[in-house]
Amino acid sequence: MNIKTISLNLLVSVVLLTGYHFLFNNNKTHSFAYIDTAKLMSGYKRMSDVKKIIGSKTKLLQANIDTLAQELQNDIKKYEKDRSEMSEREKKTTEELIGHKQQQFMQYKQATQNKAGEEEQKLTNEVLTKVNEIISDYGKKNNYTIIFGTSSGNIVYANEAINITNQMLEELNKKYNQEYK
């Protein structure tokens, strides 16, 4: 799952729950706001730091994979070069070794890519959980009935007066700086 899918699923859940609440508690005065989630996530320092961490880990894993791939290619080239001078038994043994190395390489590559994907998912989920907690606290503190999240056209029109993206971005970054810096 990528960030957009997670954000969209989260948005749908929030909208459904808050819509239900609004429909059945309409005797109160309601206060609405919205957040541009794409802008929020791109401006949130913690998300930026997480992307840097993920990028660094990905580069390191890719460097390891590239090194192993180069070693495997060197083994194949050496075999092709020396093959004419080898006995049938040596050829068979070398081919089996190379085949085994190829299989190990593919398994390692798949395992590291899976691990990297899981790590990215974990870190992203941690960030989104924290964002949702802070938005929820902000909404309660400021007496909002509902805070919508929007990105790429989910809300066709909304008055900019109820856009609290910048306020939420300031709140998120302030809390991030307090907790993690």
Side-chain angles (χ1 to χ4, degrees), residues 29-93:
T29 303
H30 299 285
S31 177
F32 301 94
Y34 75 95
I35 298 168
D36 180 339
T37 55
K39 181 179 177 182
L40 187 75
M41 296 313 288
S42 69
Y44 184 27
K45 291 177 186 174
R46 183 172 180 196
M47 183 55 100
S48 176
D49 290 349
V50 164
K51 285 181 180 180
K52 288 176 188 172
I53 290 168
I54 291 167
S56 295
K57 288 182 178 185
T58 300
K59 283 181 184 178
L60 180 62
L61 288 174
Q62 190 59 49
N64 289 341
I65 289 170
D66 291 347
T67 298
L68 292 172
Q70 186 61 48
E71 288 174 9
L72 186 58
Q73 286 300 318
N74 290 342
D75 289 347
I76 292 169
K77 285 179 184 177
K78 183 177 181 343
Y79 168 71
E80 289 172 351
K81 178 183 164 204
D82 298 342
R83 188 170 115 166
S84 62
E85 299 169 11
M86 294 179 161
S87 69
E88 287 303 314
R89 186 176 183 176
E90 289 174 319
K91 287 179 188 176
K92 184 178 179 188
T93 303

Side-chain angles (χ1 to χ4, degrees), residues 2-178:
N2 62 27
I3 294 173
K4 285 185 178 182
T5 304
I6 292 169
S7 296
L8 183 60
N9 289 338
L10 205 56
L11 174 67
V12 169
S13 298
V14 169
V15 169
L16 290 175
L17 288 172
T18 52
Y20 177 81
H21 177 74
F22 174 71
L23 288 173
F24 293 101
N25 291 309
N26 56 8
N27 58 342
K28 299 177 183 175
T29 303
H30 299 285
S31 177
F32 301 94
Y34 75 95
I35 298 168
D36 180 339
T37 55
K39 181 179 177 182
L40 187 75
M41 296 313 288
S42 69
Y44 184 27
K45 291 177 186 174
R46 183 172 180 196
M47 183 55 100
S48 176
D49 290 349
V50 164
K51 285 181 180 180
K52 288 176 188 172
I53 290 168
I54 291 167
S56 295
K57 288 182 178 185
T58 300
K59 283 181 184 178
L60 180 62
L61 288 174
Q62 190 59 49
N64 289 341
I65 289 170
D66 291 347
T67 298
L68 292 172
Q70 186 61 48
E71 288 174 9
L72 186 58
Q73 286 300 318
N74 290 342
D75 289 347
I76 292 169
K77 285 179 184 177
K78 183 177 181 343
Y79 168 71
E80 289 172 351
K81 178 183 164 204
D82 298 342
R83 188 170 115 166
S84 62
E85 299 169 11
M86 294 179 161
S87 69
E88 287 303 314
R89 186 176 183 176
E90 289 174 319
K91 287 179 188 176
K92 184 178 179 188
T93 303
T94 305
E95 287 170 1
E96 287 174 359
L97 286 172
I98 289 174
H100 185 67
K101 275 187 172 183
Q102 285 175 322
Q103 188 177 30
Q104 285 180 322
F105 170 73
M106 294 307 290
Q107 290 170 346
Y108 173 78
K109 182 178 177 181
Q110 185 65 45
T112 55
Q113 288 172 340
N114 289 344
K115 184 179 177 184
E118 290 169 7
E119 181 71 14
E120 180 178 357
Q121 179 91 25
K122 179 182 171 231
L123 291 171
T124 300
N125 284 342
E126 288 173 5
V127 170
L128 292 174
T129 298
K130 189 65 174 177
V131 166
N132 288 331
E133 287 174 14
I134 293 170
I135 291 172
S136 180
D137 290 345
Y138 183 88
K140 289 173 188 171
K141 186 173 105 181
N142 291 285
N143 298 316
Y144 284 103
T145 303
I146 185 170
I147 299 175
F148 293 99
T150 182
S151 65
S152 65
N154 292 336
I155 294 178
V156 179
Y157 171 78
N159 188 316
E160 278 298 311
I162 62 170
N163 181 351
I164 60 168
T165 304
N166 291 333
Q167 294 93 317
M168 284 309 315
L169 201 48
E170 286 176 28
E171 185 77 12
L172 286 168
N173 287 326
K174 181 177 88 176
K175 292 206 183 269
Y176 176 64
N177 288 332
Q178 290 170 349

